[in-house]
Amino acid sequence: IAEVIYNYAQYTIDLSNKQQFSEYPEWKLTIKQLDLFRVWHFNNRAKMTSLKWVEYSMDFPNIEEMAIEHDIEDITEEQVKGVLGYNENDVRATYEFYLMTKGETNHPLYKGIDKIQLRKDIKKEFSIHCTNYNDVKIGDELNKIGYLQRSGRKKYDIKPKQIKKDFTFGDCMPDYIQFRSAKFINFHNSIKNIKVKLDKGKENKQEFHLELNGTTYCIMKGGIHSKDKSRVIIPKDDEILRDADIGSQYPNAIRKRNIFPPHLGKEWLEQYTDTIKRRLDAKTLYKKTKEGKYQAIQEAYKLALNGGGYGKMGEETSWQYDPFSVMCVTIGNQFEILMLIEQLELEGIHIVSANTDGILSLFKKSNEETYNKVCKDWELQVGNEDLGQLEYVDYKKFIQSSVNDYIAVKTDNKVKCKGDFVSEFEIHKNKSATIIPIALQQYFANGTNIKDTIINHSNIFDFCLGVKSIGANRLIHLEPIKGNEVKLQKVNRYYISEDGWHLIKRLPPLASKRFAKQLDIFGVENDGSREGEVEAGWLSTIYNRHIDKKITDYKINYDFYIKKAQKIIDNIEGNEI
């Protein structure tokens, strides 16, 4: 039995190393399982995450890998104790992650969000056995059930369909797209006859630029964005800095433009628009009653509309796949936003930034009535009067290093962050040196000196960074001067310290170099070895095992964190608008 288990485990591991997954059919299990790996969609290539990285992400006290190789034949009693301790640590970490999945956590992104109860409620309401479904799969399954009921087809009749169809950017634009100024008209005409390239790769990247009043807009297949430089925007006393985002942008675009995969017919669109209505009804009922089932229903329908609907139309292996429909959504949305930009600029209202679903405007308070009228007229023009209305937020300060890295301070002093300024991370992402965005937030929002924030911060985990070796790469801790080496585990947590060692990433030797017997400038034969220092020039302390002590006893090298934060500030300040 042990040999069968071992062989299957090794088979599974070998597949995962190739970013493939062996999922034992759930219906074969006599004891039903709760699979956190699948609930969190870690079987997705973009999100693939090990338990050790989860331990790092949730500040688990002990990140531990097995101290011995798994395939040695004879082990000592002491090594057995070590393996059992390693096993227990993994079980405790998994249980901690289970509590996070239930929302029983202090993590700000997940606190109070019970993914398990949501699946129970959805299962009860929709009879979907979705205990181990990720969010996107739940939405996809709801769409499939609704479509089959409306179309009368059987689930075995709907299969992924490889669709090859040539179309242009103009084919993806709705009929109501129109412009008034020569610059926008010429830009529109220059693009609409260009064929959309669906194949991936740099050679198929399509990007078109339009500059107006100092702001450059990039039109791409996926979405519009402006090319923003590092800057600080502070409205004067007689000015308004206003963000306008389009609500429910993708579902509304599908609904109002009658977009649907042709091979599925209009029944797909009918059930999709019906889902929008049902979600809005459930949201209203939840606000009135506060009953959990209505919250589950509206959340389920939200999943069906976004990742399970729009998202699946862009996935080649999905039964809903239709690239033309996806492009009709994204390209149409971009030109809608361009219409709003043009109309506001013609009225003297300047757009300082734009992204996929909104724009940021800076204008005189005396122009607020004009701004409101233009926005309302635009909603009527593009069919957003019932759904997809603009949602507004006023800022008193907007700081950015790029279009996707910014901190916005609202007029009520609440802070919105993105990119470099985010201090709350999704579990599969790298939250290294969280103290830096924390210090940046305090500096830009409250004027607090970054050095004061950093040296007075008492949570050691916020100073920690994460690093992992992939494949045949190895991580080494190298002692200064003496040159002693310690081989590290694959996933490591560390912080920059005053008395640490060098952290080295060592790559497999290049055979071509080794066999060529090349000599370096000192006459030494090149053996093909390759390595590089992580955080070059700084010493680090490995912190895989948490030891609770006073923050001053860790001997943190604060200069590293201060310099990193100051570099971001220096790149921004001096560019004030």
Side-chain angles (χ1 to χ4, degrees):
I1 293 174
E3 186 177 2
V4 171
I5 294 171
Y6 172 82
N7 289 336
Y8 189 79
Q10 290 308 116
Y11 166 73
T12 304
I13 291 167
D14 290 342
L15 281 181
S16 70
N17 288 336
K18 300 172 186 175
Q19 293 191 329
Q20 299 173 13
F21 302 96
S22 169
E23 294 189 354
Y24 194 83
E26 198 168 340
W27 59 269
K28 287 187 177 182
L29 300 174
T30 53
I31 300 174
K32 298 305 177 187
Q33 305 292 311
L34 173 63
D35 193 337
L36 300 180
F37 187 77
R38 290 165 65 193
V39 169
W40 285 81
H41 209 182
F42 289 165
N43 55 337
N44 173 282
R45 290 188 180 187
K47 291 186 175 183
M48 191 168 68
T49 306
S50 68
L51 179 61
K52 300 298 176 288
W53 192 260
V54 169
E55 291 171 4
Y56 160 69
S57 296
M58 63 185 186
D59 295 338
F60 195 68
N62 189 20
I63 302 174
E64 180 182 349
E65 293 181 3
M66 196 161 70
I68 62 173
E69 293 297 327
H70 72 279
D71 57 356
I72 64 172
E73 294 184 4
D74 298 312
I75 63 174
T76 66
E77 192 69 32
E78 198 61 33
Q79 287 174 323
V80 169
K81 291 179 182 178
V83 171
L84 293 175
Y86 155 78
N87 289 345
E88 181 180 344
N89 189 71
D90 270 8
V91 172
R92 291 183 181 278
T94 303
Y95 182 69
E96 192 69 27
F97 189 44
Y98 162 74
L99 294 179
M100 177 177 283
T101 309
K102 286 174 62 65
E104 298 174 20
T105 173
N106 290 322
H107 194 297
L109 293 182
Y110 306 111
K111 186 174 183 179
I113 300 174
D114 192 336
K115 288 177 173 284
I116 298 171
Q117 187 59 48
L118 173 65
R119 281 153 177 77
K120 288 179 179 179
D121 292 339
I122 290 173
K123 181 179 179 181
K124 184 177 179 181
E125 287 295 325
F126 300 100
S127 298
I128 300 175
H129 296 278
C130 58
T131 302
N132 294 316
Y133 286 7
N134 60 66
D135 290 352
V136 173
K137 189 171 182 179
I138 290 173
D140 182 54
E141 195 66 22
L142 278 172
N143 276 344
K144 186 180 292 184
I145 290 171
Y147 174 73
L148 292 175
Q149 288 174 347
R150 188 172 290 271
S151 67
R153 298 173 72 179
K154 304 296 182 184
K155 65 179 180 180
Y156 301 108
D157 295 336
I158 53 172
K159 297 177 182 179
K161 187 171 183 178
Q162 295 302 311
I163 300 168
K164 291 187 178 180
K165 175 185 175 182
D166 291 339
F167 55 88
T168 66
F169 279 83
D171 293 332
C172 302
M173 298 177 197
D175 294 338
Y176 53 76
I177 296 295
Q178 55 181 325
F179 298 101
R180 293 155 50 190
S181 61
K183 175 172 278 194
F184 278 77
I185 291 170
N186 292 337
F187 180 74
H188 180 213
N189 290 335
S190 69
I191 290 177
K192 65 182 183 181
N193 293 322
I194 296 175
K195 179 183 172 181
V196 176
K197 297 178 182 179
L198 294 175
D199 293 332
K200 297 178 181 178
K202 290 183 179 180
E203 68 278 6
N204 293 313
K205 183 180 179 181
Q206 293 175 292
E207 183 174 319
F208 311 97
H209 296 161
L210 173 66
E211 190 276 332
L212 182 67
N213 295 337
T215 303
T216 299
Y217 304 98
C218 297
I219 297 292
M220 301 168 68
K221 285 173 282 191
I224 185 174
H225 70 86
S226 52
K227 297 184 73 172
D228 299 343
K229 299 177 181 177
S230 298
R231 58 185 174 175
V232 178
I233 305 175
I234 302 174
K236 298 182 176 66
D237 290 341
D238 63 342
E239 291 180 329
I240 295 173
L241 181 61
R242 180 166 293 169
D243 183 57
D245 285 344
I246 303 167
S248 302
Q249 187 187 34
Y250 292 156
N252 186 49
I254 292 170
R255 175 196 67 87
K256 69 183 183 180
R257 297 187 209 137
N258 295 318
I259 297 171
F260 60 90
H263 66 285
L264 297 177
K266 285 196 173 182
E267 293 90 348
W268 185 93
L269 179 62
E270 290 168 0
Q271 67 86 23
Y272 190 87
T273 52
D274 195 38
T275 298
I276 294 174
K277 181 180 182 302
R278 289 179 179 179
R279 185 190 174 221
L280 294 174
D281 290 344
K283 283 182 74 173
T284 301
L285 286 170
Y286 178 68
K287 287 180 180 179
K288 287 181 179 178
T289 66
K290 297 298 178 184
E291 286 188 39
K293 74 171 185 176
Y294 295 121
Q295 173 69 348
I297 291 170
Q298 76 90 13
E299 187 65 30
Y301 283 140
K302 179 181 177 181
L303 299 176
L305 294 171
N306 295 317
Y310 163 75
K312 285 292 180 178
M313 288 197 298
E315 189 177 301
E316 290 186 30
T317 57
S318 171
W319 62 279
Q320 301 178 82
Y321 176 63
D322 181 40
F324 178 64
S325 291
V326 173
M327 292 298 113
C328 284
V329 173
T330 58
I331 294 170
N333 287 351
Q334 293 179 74
F335 277 84
E336 281 187 358
I337 292 174
L338 275 182
M339 284 174 60
L340 178 59
I341 289 170
E342 182 201 40
Q343 291 169 16
L344 287 169
E345 289 281 2
L346 288 174
E347 297 294 339
I349 295 167
H350 183 45
I351 312 304
V352 293
S353 184
N355 57 34
T356 304
D357 62 351
I359 57 172
L360 181 66
S361 307
L362 181 66
F363 56 93
K364 297 287 186 182
K365 288 181 178 178
S366 57
N367 273 347
E368 185 173 15
E369 189 174 330
T370 301
Y371 175 92
N372 292 337
K373 184 179 186 307
V374 170
C375 290
K376 284 297 177 186
D377 289 346
W378 174 84
E379 288 175 349
L380 291 170
Q381 191 177 4
V382 300
N384 284 20
E385 65 272 24
D386 296 323
L387 188 69
Q389 296 98 332
L390 293 168
E391 300 167 353
Y392 306 101
V393 178
D394 287 355
Y395 299 135
K396 64 179 184 181
K397 191 185 293 185
F398 188 83
I399 306 99
Q400 66 180 152
S401 53
S402 75
V403 69
N404 290 317
D405 301 280
Y406 63 78
I407 174 172
V409 184
K410 302 176 185 178
T411 51
D412 61 2
N413 291 321
K414 291 181 180 178
V415 175
K416 177 183 176 183
C417 300
K418 193 172 182 181
D420 288 343
F421 299 95
V422 169
S423 58
E424 300 165 355
F425 298 85
E426 294 181 69
I427 294 299
H428 64 282
K429 295 188 176 179
N430 193 337
K431 68 180 196 67
S432 287
T434 308
I435 184 60
I436 293 174
I438 289 173
L440 292 172
Q441 289 176 23
Q442 290 297 318
Y443 176 79
F444 285 115
N446 304 316
T448 307
N449 186 286
I450 58 166
K451 184 176 181 180
D452 291 340
T453 300
I454 291 172
I455 65 176
N456 290 319
H457 197 73
S458 59
N459 186 348
I460 183 61
F461 291 114
D462 288 336
F463 290 93
C464 288
L465 302 93
V467 64
K468 52 187 171 183
S469 59
I470 300 173
N473 296 346
R474 291 290 177 264
L475 291 166
I476 306 292
H477 225 201
L478 179 66
E479 186 181 16
I481 303 175
K482 292 183 179 180
N484 294 323
E485 291 185 1
V486 174
K487 183 181 176 182
L488 301 175
Q489 58 191 40
K490 286 192 173 183
V491 174
N492 293 274
R493 179 170 59 200
Y494 67 98
Y495 63 91
I496 306 303
S497 57
E498 296 173 349
D499 59 350
W501 290 19
H502 297 285
L503 182 55
I504 306 296
K505 182 173 285 190
R506 189 166 289 164
L507 287 70
L510 285 173
S512 59
K513 294 281 187 181
R514 187 169 68 249
F515 295 133
K517 299 186 181 300
Q518 295 176 345
L519 301 180
D520 64 18
I521 59 173
F522 302 105
V524 179
E525 188 174 303
N526 187 337
D527 62 359
S529 61
R530 297 178 295 161
E531 63 179 39
E533 186 173 0
V534 180
E535 307 300 348
W538 300 93
L539 302 179
S540 63
T541 294
I542 301 300
Y543 197 64
N544 290 330
R545 186 178 293 273
H546 173 57
I547 302 171
D548 195 11
K549 52 188 177 182
K550 291 191 297 185
I551 194 70
T552 51
D553 292 338
Y554 292 106
K555 296 185 178 179
I556 299 168
N557 190 335
Y558 292 114
D559 284 347
F560 169 82
Y561 304 95
I562 292 169
K563 287 181 178 180
K564 288 277 188 180
Q566 189 62 51
K567 184 177 179 180
I568 294 174
I569 292 170
D570 291 344
N571 287 337
I572 294 173
E573 289 191 330
N575 300 315
E576 188 169 307
I577 295 178

